[in-house]
Amino acid sequence: MGTAKRASSRVRGVPALTLLCAMAILTAPGLVTTAHAAPAAPSAPAAPAAPAPEPEPGTKSLEDIHQEIEGLYRQAGTATDAYNLAESETKAQSARIVEIANLVVAGQDRISTLKQRAGSAARAQYRSGGLPPGAQLALSDSPSDFLDGTGRLRQGEKATTDLLSELSRTQFDLERYAKDAGALWQKMEENRVKKEAAKKEIEDKIKAAEALENRLRAEEKARLIQLEQEAQYKAQTQWLSTGAMKDVKGSATDAGKRAVQFATAQTGKPYVWGAVGPDSYDCSGLTSQAWLAAGRAIPRTSQEQLRLLPKVALKDMRPGDLIIYFDDASHVGMYVGDGAMVHAPRPGRNVTMAGAGSMPIKAVVRPDA
């Protein structure tokens, strides 16, 4: 595997900037680069490493183990998205239940007021001897009083009708609130079950991946990291060689610059599933918090970001846009310019810069369209 300089010569028109340089430039205040950078090649070991021993017949090769570990972490990432979605929905449902509770209190207070008004009317009729207002008017000795009273009678009848209608409507609202709250409680319980199942799957997949890694010797672990870097480098180089970045010249908006600066400032912080900072992040936790810092609230999960945010063509991509990866949209990174993105990769890794094409791209979405 050659250096970044030799890789650049194989991709015509691509400046030889390493991702480390890109990160240094991008984190400078107010500056977002839009050049097309070649991927940084995996760094060569300082001294020749002893060749890994040949696997015994029937055992897995290091490449097989690498693929299995990556698959486990991918499955954990998918489960993490499911967990985060259930968590987000639970928070929204909890907030709605609080709103309903406040509406119920207000409705009960309103019913009490209406009942007091109805009681006052009943007591007034009792004091008049129990005769209905119409009968009192009919027995009046004064024609003018009768005529004046007719208008007041109609007003009173309308007020009584309105009072009863409002009382009935308020009671209906309370019944609807109760049904809505019951449905929300049921959804919250369903989400709790989903969260528990997703949490177990995440933990099981991560434990299985860690168990595979823990069985490796130190030199095998080092080689595993190198295999991971080589796979990313190869994917990025192939992606650039297709001319994918040829027409990408978009400039970041002010909000996009703030989002990029926030995201790149988190470099080095560990990936923790379900985390939204400030000390650790998962992939969509990083992108959602970066845009929140830029003044835009966006969906919490990569799948919801894909579903709800406007999609843009790759050629129109600009720094701050989100790149959704894999067919199931289980991973997301933020494009930062220079053919690079920043992301929280997976458990055991830290927030880092990587080639925008180092994983299969599903779509590009724009939070500030």
Side-chain angles (χ1 to χ4, degrees):
M1 184 64 61
T3 64
K5 183 176 180 181
R6 289 196 296 273
S8 178
S9 67
R10 291 195 296 270
V11 182
R12 188 172 301 277
V14 180
L17 300 176
T18 64
L19 292 179
L20 184 59
C21 292
M23 182 178 68
I25 295 171
L26 286 165
T27 53
L31 180 61
V32 179
T33 178
T34 56
H36 304 158
S43 54
E54 290 294 325
E56 298 177 6
T59 62
K60 295 177 181 177
S61 68
L62 198 57
E63 177 62 34
D64 290 337
I65 293 173
H66 167 249
Q67 293 297 330
E68 186 172 352
I69 288 173
E70 289 300 309
L72 288 167
Y73 280 127
R74 281 266 297 105
Q75 293 170 43
T78 302
T80 297
D81 219 44
Y83 178 92
N84 289 338
L85 179 59
E87 176 74 7
S88 178
E89 289 178 344
T90 297
K91 288 180 180 178
Q93 289 154 2
S94 297
R96 178 57 183 157
I97 285 176
V98 171
E99 290 178 9
I100 289 175
N102 291 332
L103 290 171
V104 168
V105 170
Q108 290 173 335
D109 290 344
R110 183 62 180 156
I111 284 179
S112 296
T113 300
L114 293 172
K115 285 182 176 179
Q116 289 173 2
R117 286 170 54 188
S120 297
R123 287 190 295 272
Q125 184 174 347
Y126 175 77
R127 287 193 297 270
S128 67
L131 286 175
Q136 294 178 41
L137 288 172
L139 296 174
S140 173
D141 295 330
S142 171
S144 61
D145 288 345
F146 179 84
L147 292 174
D148 291 341
T150 300
R152 290 195 298 273
L153 175 61
R154 288 173 180 168
Q155 292 175 355
E157 288 175 342
K158 182 178 185 304
T160 300
T161 301
D162 291 346
L163 175 65
L164 293 175
S165 296
E166 188 173 355
L167 182 61
S168 176
R169 184 170 59 252
T170 303
Q171 289 174 330
F172 175 81
D173 287 343
L174 288 176
E175 292 174 0
R176 180 168 55 83
Y177 295 152
K179 290 179 180 178
D180 290 347
L184 286 169
W185 279 115
Q186 183 176 350
K187 288 181 180 178
M188 285 180 64
E189 175 60 18
E190 291 171 355
N191 279 330
R192 185 193 67 78
V193 173
K194 289 179 184 176
K195 282 170 57 180
E196 289 299 319
K199 179 180 179 181
K200 184 177 186 309
E201 182 176 0
I202 294 165
E203 292 173 343
D204 288 348
K205 299 299 182 184
I206 291 175
K207 284 179 182 177
E210 290 174 343
L212 282 172
E213 288 188 89
N214 290 337
R215 288 201 294 266
L216 300 175
R217 297 188 295 273
E219 62 270 19
E220 291 174 322
K221 290 181 180 178
R223 175 58 182 154
L224 199 65
I225 293 174
Q226 190 175 9
L227 286 172
E228 182 180 320
Q229 294 172 340
E230 287 174 354
Q232 293 174 359
Y233 176 73
K234 181 179 179 181
Q236 176 75 349
T237 302
Q238 290 177 344
W239 182 66
L240 290 173
S241 69
T242 65
M245 293 296 297
K246 181 178 64 174
D247 298 322
V248 179
K249 300 181 178 67
S251 299
T253 61
D254 288 341
K257 290 177 183 178
R258 291 194 298 271
V260 168
Q261 288 165 359
F262 178 94
T264 54
Q266 311 313 308
T267 301
K269 293 183 179 181
Y271 176 106
V272 174
W273 66 268
V276 291
D279 300 321
S280 57
Y281 298 89
D282 63 19
C283 66
S284 56
L286 176 65
T287 54
S288 60
Q289 289 302 301
W291 270 103
L292 188 61
R296 300 291 180 95
I298 66 172
R300 167 66 178 89
T301 72
S302 57
Q303 293 176 349
E304 289 295 281
Q305 288 168 3
L306 172 66
R307 187 172 72 88
L308 298 175
L309 296 179
K311 297 178 180 62
V312 296
L314 185 63
K315 66 181 180 62
D316 298 324
M317 184 168 61
R318 68 190 185 199
D321 287 347
L322 306 183
I323 306 176
I324 309 296
Y325 293 99
F326 303 110
D327 286 341
D328 60 357
S330 58
H331 192 69
V332 60
M334 178 181 290
Y335 182 62
V336 297
D338 199 32
M341 60 92 171
V342 60
H343 70 146
R346 65 166 176 81
R349 298 289 183 266
N350 298 330
V351 175
T352 188
M353 303 281 286
S358 58
M359 292 174 286
I361 295 175
K362 182 176 181 65
V364 178
V365 297
R366 177 162 295 165
D368 62 338

